[in-house]
C-alpha cells in the first residue's frame, strides 16, 4: 500500500540515476498512455526526480514529465549499481511477469515498476492541479484553511488527496493517534489546540517513519492493526472502526475532538 512516504522512498531511489539517458522502455499495454510513453521516453535524459503526495514525477530533458502512481501494490525497483533497498526488495515476491514499466538506461541500469495488481498508473505530463498541499509540508495555517467548513469525519478528509496530498490509511491512523485527535471528529471543527497537535504530530512522526522505512513503521503498525492490543499510551481498549471506508485503529480515551 504505497502511501506518500513510500513515494518519497521511491523518489530517493531514482535520484542516483538523474543525469542518465533512457535507451528503451517497455510499458504494459493496459496502460492508457502506453503508446505516448513509448514514443516520447526513449532518447530522453532524466534531469530530476520530484514527488507530490503519492505521485513521483520524473523530469525529462525535453520538459516532459513521467508521472508514476503506484496504486495499492506497485513497487519501484532500481536494478544495478544504484542503491537498492534490500529489506523492501526481499519482503515481497518480485515476479518479472508483474513488471508494468521497465526503463532501461544507457549504462544498463534498469528502473522498473513491479505491480501484481496492475493498478499502478504511468502518465506523460500528469495534471496534478487538483492535489492539495503535500503532507510533509503542513503548517497550522495551511491545515486550518484546508479543513475549514468540512463536516465529514477528519480521517476521511485527510485521506482525500485533493485536501492534503500524501496521506494513506496507516499514516493517518498514526498521526491521529500520536496527536490524540479522534478520527471521527468533524474535520472543520478542530480548534487551534487540536490543529496544532495534528500539525506537530505530522511534522515529527512522518519524517521519523520515512527514515525508518515507511508507513508501516509507526506505533500503530501492522501487528497492532491486526491484534488491536490495549492503547500503548494509556492502556485503554482501542477500537477498530470503518471511517471513510477504511479500517481505522484508534483510542477513544486519549484521541479527542
Ligand atoms: Zn490511548
Amino acid at each position: 500500500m504505497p502511501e506518500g512516504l513510500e513515494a518519497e522512498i521511491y523518489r530517493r531511489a531514482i535520484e542516483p540515476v538523474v543525469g542518465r539517458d533512457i535507451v528503451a522502455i517497455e510499458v504494459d499495454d493496459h496502460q492508457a498512455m502506453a503508446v505516448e510513453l513509448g514514443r516520447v521516453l526513449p532518447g530522453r535524459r532524466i534531469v530530476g526526480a520530484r514527488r507530490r503526495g503519492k505521485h513521483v514525477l520524473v523530469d525529462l530533458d525535453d520538459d516532459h514529465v513521467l508521472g508514476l502512481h503506484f496504486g495499492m501494490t506497485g513497487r519501484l525497483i532500481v536494478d544495478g549499481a544504484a542503491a537498492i533497498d534490500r529489506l523492501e526488495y526481499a519482503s515481497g515476491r518480485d515476479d518479472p511477469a508483474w513488471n508494468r514499466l521497465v526503463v532501461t538506461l544507457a549504462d544498463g541500469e534498469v528502473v522498473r515498476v513491479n505491480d501484481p495488481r496492475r493498478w499502478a498508473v504511468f502518465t506523460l505530463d500528469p495534471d496534478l492541479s487538483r492535489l492539495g498541499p503535500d503532507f510533509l509540508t503542513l503548517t497550522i495555517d495551511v491545515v486550518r484553511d484546508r479543513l475549514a467548513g468540512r463536516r465529514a469525519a477528519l480521517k476521511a478528509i485527510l485521506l482525500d488527496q485533493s485536501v492534503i496530498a500524501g496521506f494513506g490509511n496507516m499514516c493517518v491512523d498514526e498521526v491521529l493517534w500520536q496527536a490524540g485527535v479522534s478520527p471521527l471528529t468533524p474535520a472543520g471543527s478542530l480548534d487551534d489546540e487540536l490543529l496544532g497537535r495534528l500539525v506537530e504530530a505530522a511534522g515529527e512522526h512522518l519524517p521519523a517513519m520515512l527514515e525508518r522505512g515507511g508507513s508501516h513503521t509507526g506505533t500503530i503498525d501492522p501487528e497492532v492493526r491486526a491484534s488491536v492490543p490495549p492503547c500503548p499510551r494509556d492502556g485503554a481498549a482501542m477500537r477498530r472502526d470503518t471511517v471513510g471506508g477504511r479500517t481505522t485503529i484508534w483510542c477513544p480515551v486519549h484521541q479527542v475532538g
Side-chain angles (χ1 to χ4, degrees), residues 8-21 46-49 76 78-85 105 107 109 111:
E8 176 61 18
I9 290 167
Y10 297 154
R11 186 198 69 75
R12 292 178 179 183
I14 293 174
E15 276 193 329
V17 301
V18 169
R20 311 273 180 91
D21 293 333
I46 296 172
V47 297
L76 183 136
V78 180
D79 292 320
I84 297 170
D85 184 336
L105 305 176
D107 56 4
E109 199 143 21
V111 177

Side-chain angles (χ1 to χ4, degrees), residues 174-195:
E174 179 70 15
V175 166
L176 293 177
W177 184 86
Q178 295 284 0
V181 178
S182 167
L184 302 177
T185 197
S189 73
L190 269 64
D191 61 19
D192 270 9
E193 191 211 327
L194 292 183
L195 284 170

Side-chain angles (χ1 to χ4, degrees), residues 177 231-236 238 251-255:
W177 184 86
C231 175
R233 183 171 297 180
D234 51 40
M238 287 206 294
C251 171
V253 170
H254 86 268
Q255 289 182 246

